[in-house]
Every structure is written in C-alpha cells, then in structure tokens.
Amino acid sequence: MNAVTVTVLMIIAAYLAGSISSAILVCKIRGLPDPRTSGSGNPGATNVLRIGGVSSAVLVLFFDMLKGAAPSYLGYKMGLDAASLGFIAVSACLGHILPIFFGFKGGKGVATAFGAMAPIGGDLALCLILTWIVFVLLTRYSSVAAMATATLAPFYTWWLDERFILPVAMLSTLILIRHKDNIGRLRHGEESKVSRKKSIKKPDTK
C-alpha cells in the first residue's frame, strides 16, 4: 500500500479508537452515574474525578491518552510524515469528541490530544504533565490548565523536536476551539473547579 492509502486507513482506525468512550465505560463498569448527565456533563477524566473519585479518573485518563498515543505512535513507526501524523492524531481526538458508538456526544479531547503528543518523546510528555499540574494547582480550573498546556505545547515541541510542530499545533488548536464555552463560563465566574470529592446527589424534596 502507498502512503496515502495507509494514512487514510490510519485516520479511520484512529477515529474508531477515539470513539471508545473511556469515561462512559468506566462509570458503567463501576456502577457510577453516566458522566454525560452528571457533574459537568462532560465524559472526561475531570468529570469522572468529581463523580467517581481518583481511581476511576486515573483509569479514564490512562485509556483516553492511550487511544491518542497508539495511532500516532503506530503511524510514526510506519514512517508517515508530520502532516499525516497530525491528521491521524486529530482524527483520534474527533472520535473522542464525536464518538460514533455513543451518539456523537463526547468530551473535550484533551487527554486524547496530549496522549497523541506523548510519543514524540518523554521530555515533551513530562513538560505537558508538569504544565497541566502547575496550572491546576495555581488556578484549580482544569479548563485553564488544558488551555495553557495546549498553548505552550507547540513551543515545547519547537524546543525539543521541531519536526513535529505541525501535528502538535493542529492538536493544540483543536483543544482551544473545544474550550470556547469554558472561556465564556470563566469570564462570568461560572466555571467548575477541580475537586477530588465525589459529587453527592441531593435528595428530591419536592
């Protein structure tokens, strides 16, 4: 097969892998509320942290990152160029955002995007993780940490391995676009902060 055919097949495979919602499956297996209708309503690791605690959130984070990392790394090992790797990585994120297996209602794609960046190198992965942690500790907002990390990711890549600036910039742009609503809530002081406590549903007194 030529490079174009391989790229197209990898794009399709990445989208299908991304469409497997870790948050929904982990919550279902552990008997937790559906993350699409509980907490913030976002099927991602941060919301699972709110409704299910740390261990559930870690599982979701791992599998969300894996479904971004695996297609990107496989494409890299196949010798695909940077642009092709970018489209494959974005496709995995679009699968997470618009999952075909879950009614096209998915999450922000942050963990999947960062997972897709991670195979570039352990130093980049470490920079991304540390940046996210620092901004979460400083602001207590997962959305701010995600946007800050996405903004800095292309600069880290330029510094560490400039060959992959294009795919990283594509992923960073997608993350920022997906946080448009969060920016509005931050401006109005309505954005939820990160909490390790499980959300408790109040009894209906009506």
Side-chain angles (χ1 to χ4, degrees), residues 176-195:
L176 294 173
I177 291 172
R178 284 291 291 165
H179 282 79
K180 174 175 62 70
D181 293 339
N182 300 82
I183 294 172
R185 289 195 293 270
L186 285 165
R187 290 177 60 189
H188 293 93
E190 299 172 349
E191 181 76 339
S192 299
K193 291 188 175 183
V194 174
S195 173

Side-chain angles (χ1 to χ4, degrees), residues 9-19 67 71 87-89 91-93 95:
L9 291 176
M10 286 297 299
I11 287 173
I12 295 171
Y15 172 77
L16 293 175
S19 291
K67 66 189 186 184
F87 287 120
I88 291 168
S91 183
C93 292

Side-chain angles (χ1 to χ4, degrees), residues 109-181:
V110 175
T112 304
F114 289 161
M117 297 178 193
I120 292 174
D123 42 10
L124 176 61
L126 182 61
C127 286
L128 296 176
I129 292 169
L130 290 178
T131 301
W132 190 88
I133 291 174
V134 167
F135 276 92
V136 163
L137 292 176
L138 288 175
T139 68
R140 296 294 303 280
Y141 288 112
S142 176
S143 57
V144 172
M147 289 187 286
T149 306
T151 301
L152 291 170
F155 295 98
Y156 292 149
T157 308
W158 171 78
W159 175 43
L160 297 168
D161 194 337
E162 61 183 16
R163 294 176 299 165
F164 300 102
I165 289 178
L166 177 60
V168 169
M170 292 168 67
L171 290 167
S172 293
T173 300
L174 180 62
I175 291 173
L176 294 173
I177 291 172
R178 284 291 291 165
H179 282 79
K180 174 175 62 70
D181 293 339

